[in-house]
Short mmCIF file of all heavy atoms in Angstrom, two decimals:
data_model
loop_
_atom_site.label_atom_id
_atom_site.label_comp_id
_atom_site.label_asym_id
_atom_site.label_seq_id
_atom_site.Cartn_x
_atom_site.Cartn_y
_atom_site.Cartn_z
N ILE G 691 -1.35 0.72 -7.36
CA ILE G 691 -1.24 1.06 -5.93
C ILE G 691 -0.42 0.01 -5.17
O ILE G 691 -0.92 -0.72 -4.30
CB ILE G 691 -2.62 1.31 -5.25
CG1 ILE G 691 -3.51 2.18 -6.17
CG2 ILE G 691 -2.43 2.00 -3.90
CD1 ILE G 691 -4.80 2.65 -5.54
N ALA G 692 0.84 -0.07 -5.54
CA ALA G 692 1.83 -0.89 -4.79
C ALA G 692 1.52 -2.38 -4.81
O ALA G 692 1.90 -3.10 -3.89
CB ALA G 692 1.96 -0.39 -3.35
N VAL G 693 0.85 -2.84 -5.86
CA VAL G 693 0.48 -4.26 -5.93
C VAL G 693 1.47 -5.05 -6.80
O VAL G 693 2.04 -6.05 -6.36
CB VAL G 693 -0.96 -4.42 -6.44
CG1 VAL G 693 -1.26 -5.88 -6.74
CG2 VAL G 693 -1.94 -3.87 -5.40
N ASN G 750 -9.10 -11.93 1.69
CA ASN G 750 -9.14 -11.47 0.29
C ASN G 750 -8.66 -10.07 0.06
O ASN G 750 -8.21 -9.73 -1.02
CB ASN G 750 -10.58 -11.55 -0.23
CG ASN G 750 -11.14 -12.93 -0.10
OD1 ASN G 750 -10.62 -13.86 -0.71
ND2 ASN G 750 -12.16 -13.07 0.71
N SER G 751 -8.83 -9.19 1.03
CA SER G 751 -8.49 -7.79 0.81
C SER G 751 -7.81 -7.23 2.04
O SER G 751 -7.90 -7.80 3.14
CB SER G 751 -9.76 -6.98 0.54
OG SER G 751 -10.51 -6.87 1.72
N GLY G 752 -7.15 -6.10 1.83
CA GLY G 752 -6.48 -5.45 2.94
C GLY G 752 -7.45 -5.08 4.05
O GLY G 752 -7.17 -5.28 5.24
N SER G 753 -8.61 -4.55 3.65
CA SER G 753 -9.60 -4.16 4.66
C SER G 753 -9.97 -5.35 5.54
O SER G 753 -10.09 -5.23 6.76
CB SER G 753 -10.87 -3.65 3.99
OG SER G 753 -10.58 -2.60 3.11
N GLU G 754 -10.16 -6.48 4.90
CA GLU G 754 -10.54 -7.69 5.63
C GLU G 754 -9.43 -8.13 6.59
O GLU G 754 -9.70 -8.62 7.70
CB GLU G 754 -10.80 -8.80 4.61
CG GLU G 754 -12.09 -9.54 4.78
CD GLU G 754 -12.14 -10.75 3.85
OE1 GLU G 754 -11.83 -10.61 2.65
OE2 GLU G 754 -12.50 -11.81 4.34
N ALA G 755 -8.18 -7.96 6.16
CA ALA G 755 -7.07 -8.32 7.05
C ALA G 755 -7.07 -7.42 8.27
O ALA G 755 -6.90 -7.88 9.41
CB ALA G 755 -5.74 -8.19 6.29
N VAL G 756 -7.30 -6.11 8.06
CA VAL G 756 -7.33 -5.18 9.20
C VAL G 756 -8.49 -5.52 10.12
O VAL G 756 -8.34 -5.56 11.35
CB VAL G 756 -7.42 -3.72 8.70
CG1 VAL G 756 -7.64 -2.77 9.86
CG2 VAL G 756 -6.16 -3.34 7.92
N ALA G 778 -4.46 8.33 8.77
CA ALA G 778 -4.42 6.88 8.55
C ALA G 778 -5.38 6.45 7.45
O ALA G 778 -6.46 7.04 7.27
CB ALA G 778 -4.78 6.15 9.84
N TYR G 779 -5.00 5.41 6.73
CA TYR G 779 -5.92 4.75 5.80
C TYR G 779 -5.87 3.25 6.09
O TYR G 779 -4.80 2.64 6.03
CB TYR G 779 -5.54 5.00 4.33
CG TYR G 779 -6.54 4.33 3.40
CD1 TYR G 779 -7.72 4.99 3.05
CD2 TYR G 779 -6.34 3.05 2.93
CE1 TYR G 779 -8.66 4.37 2.24
CE2 TYR G 779 -7.28 2.42 2.12
CZ TYR G 779 -8.44 3.09 1.78
OH TYR G 779 -9.37 2.48 0.98
N HIS G 780 -7.03 2.67 6.41
CA HIS G 780 -7.06 1.23 6.68
C HIS G 780 -8.12 0.50 5.88
O HIS G 780 -8.31 -0.70 6.06
CB HIS G 780 -7.26 0.99 8.18
CG HIS G 780 -6.13 1.52 9.01
ND1 HIS G 780 -4.85 0.99 8.98
CD2 HIS G 780 -6.07 2.57 9.89
CE1 HIS G 780 -4.07 1.67 9.81
NE2 HIS G 780 -4.77 2.63 10.37
N GLY G 781 -8.86 1.19 5.00
CA GLY G 781 -9.81 0.50 4.15
C GLY G 781 -11.17 1.17 4.09
O GLY G 781 -11.37 2.26 4.63
N ARG G 782 -12.11 0.49 3.43
CA ARG G 782 -13.41 1.07 3.11
C ARG G 782 -14.60 0.25 3.59
O ARG G 782 -15.74 0.57 3.28
CB ARG G 782 -13.55 1.20 1.58
CG ARG G 782 -12.63 2.21 0.92
CD ARG G 782 -12.80 2.05 -0.59
NE ARG G 782 -12.00 2.94 -1.40
CZ ARG G 782 -12.44 4.10 -1.91
NH1 ARG G 782 -13.65 4.53 -1.65
NH2 ARG G 782 -11.67 4.82 -2.68
N THR G 783 -14.36 -0.87 4.30
CA THR G 783 -15.49 -1.59 4.88
C THR G 783 -15.98 -0.81 6.10
O THR G 783 -15.36 0.17 6.50
CB THR G 783 -15.06 -3.01 5.30
OG1 THR G 783 -13.97 -2.88 6.22
CG2 THR G 783 -14.62 -3.83 4.10
N THR G 786 -13.33 -0.55 8.88
CA THR G 786 -12.11 0.13 8.44
C THR G 786 -12.37 1.57 8.01
O THR G 786 -11.46 2.40 8.08
CB THR G 786 -11.36 -0.66 7.34
OG1 THR G 786 -12.21 -0.86 6.21
CG2 THR G 786 -10.90 -2.01 7.86
N THR G 790 -10.12 4.68 9.21
CA THR G 790 -9.54 5.60 8.24
C THR G 790 -9.83 7.03 8.65
O THR G 790 -10.92 7.33 9.16
CB THR G 790 -10.13 5.28 6.84
OG1 THR G 790 -9.58 4.03 6.40
CG2 THR G 790 -9.83 6.35 5.82
N ILE G 847 -1.17 1.00 13.27
CA ILE G 847 -0.44 2.08 12.58
C ILE G 847 0.20 1.60 11.29
O ILE G 847 0.69 0.46 11.22
CB ILE G 847 0.63 2.70 13.53
CG1 ILE G 847 1.25 3.96 12.91
CG2 ILE G 847 1.70 1.68 13.93
CD1 ILE G 847 2.01 4.82 13.90
N GLU G 848 0.17 2.46 10.27
CA GLU G 848 0.96 2.23 9.06
C GLU G 848 2.36 2.77 9.34
O GLU G 848 2.51 3.96 9.60
CB GLU G 848 0.38 3.02 7.89
CG GLU G 848 -1.03 2.66 7.48
CD GLU G 848 -1.68 3.83 6.72
OE1 GLU G 848 -1.53 3.90 5.49
OE2 GLU G 848 -2.31 4.68 7.37
N PRO G 849 3.39 1.93 9.26
CA PRO G 849 4.76 2.39 9.58
C PRO G 849 5.21 3.54 8.67
O PRO G 849 5.96 4.41 9.10
CB PRO G 849 5.62 1.16 9.37
CG PRO G 849 4.68 0.01 9.44
CD PRO G 849 3.35 0.50 8.95
N ILE G 850 4.81 3.51 7.42
CA ILE G 850 4.86 4.69 6.55
C ILE G 850 3.45 4.81 5.99
O ILE G 850 2.93 3.85 5.42
CB ILE G 850 5.89 4.54 5.40
CG1 ILE G 850 7.32 4.44 5.97
CG2 ILE G 850 5.78 5.72 4.43
CD1 ILE G 850 8.40 4.28 4.90
N GLN G 851 2.82 5.97 6.21
CA GLN G 851 1.43 6.07 5.78
C GLN G 851 1.31 6.10 4.26
O GLN G 851 2.15 6.69 3.58
CB GLN G 851 0.79 7.31 6.40
CG GLN G 851 0.58 7.15 7.91
CD GLN G 851 -0.09 8.34 8.53
OE1 GLN G 851 0.21 9.48 8.18
NE2 GLN G 851 -0.99 8.10 9.48
N GLY G 852 0.26 5.47 3.76
CA GLY G 852 0.04 5.38 2.32
C GLY G 852 -0.88 6.48 1.81
O GLY G 852 -0.45 7.59 1.54
N GLU G 853 -2.17 6.17 1.73
CA GLU G 853 -3.13 7.12 1.16
C GLU G 853 -3.07 8.49 1.84
O GLU G 853 -3.33 9.52 1.21
CB GLU G 853 -4.56 6.58 1.27
CG GLU G 853 -4.77 5.19 0.67
CD GLU G 853 -4.33 5.12 -0.77
OE1 GLU G 853 -4.85 5.87 -1.61
OE2 GLU G 853 -3.43 4.31 -1.06
N ASP G 881 0.15 -2.06 10.09
CA ASP G 881 -0.55 -2.22 8.81
C ASP G 881 0.48 -2.01 7.70
O ASP G 881 0.78 -0.88 7.33
CB ASP G 881 -1.72 -1.24 8.71
CG ASP G 881 -2.50 -1.43 7.41
OD1 ASP G 881 -2.02 -2.15 6.52
OD2 ASP G 881 -3.59 -0.83 7.28
N GLU G 882 1.01 -3.12 7.21
CA GLU G 882 2.05 -3.08 6.17
C GLU G 882 1.46 -3.39 4.80
O GLU G 882 2.16 -3.86 3.90
CB GLU G 882 3.15 -4.10 6.51
CG GLU G 882 3.97 -3.76 7.76
CD GLU G 882 5.30 -3.05 7.43
OE1 GLU G 882 5.50 -2.67 6.25
OE2 GLU G 882 6.10 -2.90 8.36
N ILE G 883 0.17 -3.12 4.65
CA ILE G 883 -0.50 -3.48 3.40
C ILE G 883 0.11 -2.74 2.21
O ILE G 883 0.29 -3.33 1.14
CB ILE G 883 -2.02 -3.25 3.54
CG1 ILE G 883 -2.59 -4.33 4.46
CG2 ILE G 883 -2.73 -3.23 2.19
CD1 ILE G 883 -4.01 -4.08 4.95
N GLN G 884 0.45 -1.48 2.40
CA GLN G 884 1.08 -0.73 1.29
C GLN G 884 2.61 -0.75 1.39
O GLN G 884 3.32 -0.80 0.38
CB GLN G 884 0.57 0.72 1.26
CG GLN G 884 0.94 1.46 -0.01
CD GLN G 884 -0.02 2.59 -0.39
OE1 GLN G 884 0.33 3.45 -1.19
NE2 GLN G 884 -1.21 2.63 0.13
N SER G 885 3.13 -0.71 2.62
CA SER G 885 4.58 -0.55 2.81
C SER G 885 5.34 -1.88 2.81
O SER G 885 6.57 -1.88 2.77
CB SER G 885 4.83 0.18 4.14
OG SER G 885 4.24 -0.53 5.22
N THR G 907 -0.49 -6.80 9.21
CA THR G 907 -1.43 -7.04 8.12
C THR G 907 -0.72 -6.80 6.79
O THR G 907 0.05 -5.84 6.65
CB THR G 907 -2.66 -6.11 8.21
OG1 THR G 907 -2.23 -4.75 8.29
CG2 THR G 907 -3.51 -6.44 9.43
N ALA G 909 -1.13 -7.30 2.24
CA ALA G 909 -1.99 -7.54 1.07
C ALA G 909 -1.21 -7.04 -0.15
O ALA G 909 -0.09 -7.49 -0.38
CB ALA G 909 -3.35 -6.85 1.21
N LYS G 910 -1.77 -6.09 -0.86
CA LYS G 910 -1.16 -5.43 -2.02
C LYS G 910 0.04 -6.18 -2.66
O LYS G 910 -0.19 -7.02 -3.52
CB LYS G 910 -0.80 -3.99 -1.66
CG LYS G 910 -2.08 -3.16 -1.39
CD LYS G 910 -1.86 -1.67 -1.46
CE LYS G 910 -3.16 -0.91 -1.55
NZ LYS G 910 -3.72 -0.46 -0.29
N LEU G 918 -5.10 -11.32 -2.40
CA LEU G 918 -4.75 -12.10 -1.21
C LEU G 918 -4.32 -11.13 -0.12
O LEU G 918 -3.65 -10.13 -0.41
CB LEU G 918 -3.60 -13.08 -1.51
CG LEU G 918 -3.27 -14.04 -0.37
CD1 LEU G 918 -4.37 -15.07 -0.17
CD2 LEU G 918 -1.94 -14.76 -0.60
N ALA G 919 -4.72 -11.41 1.08
CA ALA G 919 -4.32 -10.59 2.23
C ALA G 919 -4.09 -11.52 3.40
O ALA G 919 -4.53 -12.68 3.38
CB ALA G 919 -5.41 -9.57 2.56
N MET G 996 9.01 3.67 -2.14
CA MET G 996 7.77 4.28 -1.66
C MET G 996 8.10 5.76 -1.44
O MET G 996 8.56 6.15 -0.36
CB MET G 996 7.32 3.59 -0.37
CG MET G 996 5.98 4.06 0.16
SD MET G 996 5.38 2.96 1.47
CE MET G 996 3.78 3.72 1.81
N ARG G 1039 2.84 10.61 -5.23
CA ARG G 1039 3.57 9.44 -4.77
C ARG G 1039 4.04 8.60 -5.94
O ARG G 1039 3.35 8.49 -6.95
CB ARG G 1039 2.70 8.59 -3.84
CG ARG G 1039 1.42 8.16 -4.48
CD ARG G 1039 0.65 7.19 -3.62
NE ARG G 1039 -0.78 7.27 -3.87
CZ ARG G 1039 -1.67 6.43 -3.35
NH1 ARG G 1039 -1.26 5.47 -2.55
NH2 ARG G 1039 -2.95 6.56 -3.62
C1 LIG K 850 -4.91 -0.37 0.53
C2 LIG K 850 -4.79 -0.38 1.99
C3 LIG K 850 -5.75 -1.00 2.81
C4 LIG K 850 -7.01 -1.62 2.26
O1 LIG K 850 -6.75 -2.66 1.38
P1 LIG K 850 -7.92 -3.13 0.36
O2 LIG K 850 -7.33 -4.36 -0.28
O3 LIG K 850 -8.13 -2.02 -0.60
O4 LIG K 850 -9.11 -3.42 1.18
C5 LIG K 850 -5.51 -1.03 4.17
N1 LIG K 850 -4.41 -0.46 4.70
C6 LIG K 850 -3.48 0.14 3.96
C7 LIG K 850 -2.26 0.71 4.59
C8 LIG K 850 -3.64 0.23 2.57
O5 LIG K 850 -2.73 0.86 1.83
#
Side-chain angles (χ1 to χ4, degrees):
I691 316 188
V693 170
N750 303 297
S751 70
S753 305
E754 229 188 313
V756 172
Y779 182 85
H780 297 293
R782 292 173 180 264
T783 57
T786 59
T790 289
I847 188 165
E848 298 158 88
I850 295 180
Q851 289 182 320
E853 305 306 300
D881 182 349
E882 293 262 10
I883 288 167
Q884 192 153 163
S885 58
T907 54
K910 294 199 165 93
L918 186 70
M996 185 168 183
R1039 57 173 152 173

